[in-house]
């Protein structure tokens, strides 16, 4: 499968970066074709400008810096997002990537009657998330309502193939985890990526 990995963490020596590297390595060892986008490392600008927003639904040229991201998204059969959950959702750089790259004409089209959304990324048939949390699972799930999960597995998934499969891996209460539990999570991530069918 053609897998596009999106990584969003500013610290290269972070545990999240170790998760990203382990996931990519597992995919490569399993024989998948892989493309990588490390948003922080490339200095991706998550901020949509006024002019960009004005032309968002119009047939105007897309900013040049977005073209490689759009091409990778249209190339992919599987999308794997690796990021920390901050304030119950995605980091700003990843949310900005969604805002700017998952745009009309690329991720969805607008039906003229009522401006209803129609999916445009039928090439994507797998979405996976590898993330970490500061909060315990019950707090994020029951008290807050898992907003970050809904954004990806409901919102982004809607723009993809109607048969898109998903997976979600999360390690909660990250600050309380031992070295053993962190290693166990990395092993779990490796194993899940290895199970993705070619």
């Amino acid at each position: 499968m053609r897998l596009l990995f999106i990584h969003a963490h500013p610290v290269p020596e972070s545990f999240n970066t170790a998760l990203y590297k382990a996931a990519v390595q597992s995919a490569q060892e399993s024989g998948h074709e892989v493309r990588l986008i490390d948003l922080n490392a490339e200095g991706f600008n998550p901020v949509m400008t006024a002019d960009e927003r004005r032309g968002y639904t119009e047939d105007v040229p897309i900013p040049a810096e977005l073209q490689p991201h759009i091409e990778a998204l249209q190339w992919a059969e599987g999308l794997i997002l690796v990021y920390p959950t901050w304030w119950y959702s995605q980091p700003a750089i990843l949310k900005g990537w969604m805002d700017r790259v998952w745009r009309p004409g690329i991720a969805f089209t607008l039906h003229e009657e009522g401006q209803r959304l129609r999916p445009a990324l039928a090439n994507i048939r797998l979405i996976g998330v590898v993330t970490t949390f500061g909060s315990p699972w019950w707090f994020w799930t029951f008290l807050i309502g898992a907003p970050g999960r809904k954004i990806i597995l409901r919102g982004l998934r809607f723009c993809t193939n109607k048969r898109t499969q998903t997976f979600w891996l999360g390690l909660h209460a990250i600050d309380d985890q031992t070295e053993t539990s962190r290693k166990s999570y990395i092993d779990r991530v490796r194993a899940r990526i290895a199970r993705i069918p070619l």
Side-chain angles (χ1 to χ4, degrees), residues 13-95:
E13 67 273 19
S14 68
F15 178 63
N16 196 269
T17 300
L19 291 170
Y20 168 65
K21 290 178 178 178
V24 169
Q25 183 181 33
S26 182
Q28 291 170 331
E29 289 173 352
S30 297
H32 295 284
E33 191 175 348
V34 168
R35 287 193 188 180
L36 312 176
I37 295 177
D38 186 331
L39 295 173
N40 289 92
E42 78 168 49
F44 181 81
N45 182 3
V47 180
M48 185 182 293
T49 66
D51 285 342
E52 189 177 347
R53 181 59 197 171
R54 288 185 188 107
Y56 190 69
T57 58
E58 307 297 327
D59 188 17
V60 297
I62 294 171
E65 70 268 21
L66 300 183
Q67 292 293 350
H69 294 260
I70 289 169
E71 195 276 327
L73 199 58
Q74 292 174 330
W75 165 88
E77 295 173 308
L79 175 66
I80 312 296
L81 304 164
V82 185
Y83 62 89
T85 295
W86 291 339
W87 283 105
Y88 319 115
S89 189
Q90 292 75 30
I93 198 167
L94 180 54
K95 180 58 171 63

Side-chain angles (χ1 to χ4, degrees), residues 1-3 27-33 77 125 194-198:
M1 184 179 282
R2 296 191 303 270
L3 296 179
Q28 291 170 331
E29 289 173 352
S30 297
H32 295 284
E33 191 175 348
E77 295 173 308
R125 45 195 176 85
R195 291 202 308 272
I196 296 173
L198 292 172

Side-chain angles (χ1 to χ4, degrees), residues 4 11 17 34 40 44 52 76 83 93 97 111 114 118 129 151 153 159 173 177:
L4 173 62
V11 182
T17 300
V34 168
N40 289 92
F44 181 81
E52 189 177 347
Y83 62 89
I93 198 167
W97 179 80
H111 191 275
R118 290 185 174 175
V129 170
I151 288 170
L153 301 191
C159 297
Q177 299 299 325

Side-chain angles (χ1 to χ4, degrees), residues 144-171:
I144 305 299
R149 182 176 179 135
K150 291 174 184 174
I151 288 170
I152 304 291
L153 301 191
R154 294 185 188 179
L156 293 192
R157 185 186 179 281
F158 174 80
C159 297
T160 66
N161 193 292
K162 63 182 179 180
R163 293 191 175 91
T164 292
Q165 297 185 353
T166 63
F167 70 82
W168 181 275
L169 296 175
L171 182 63

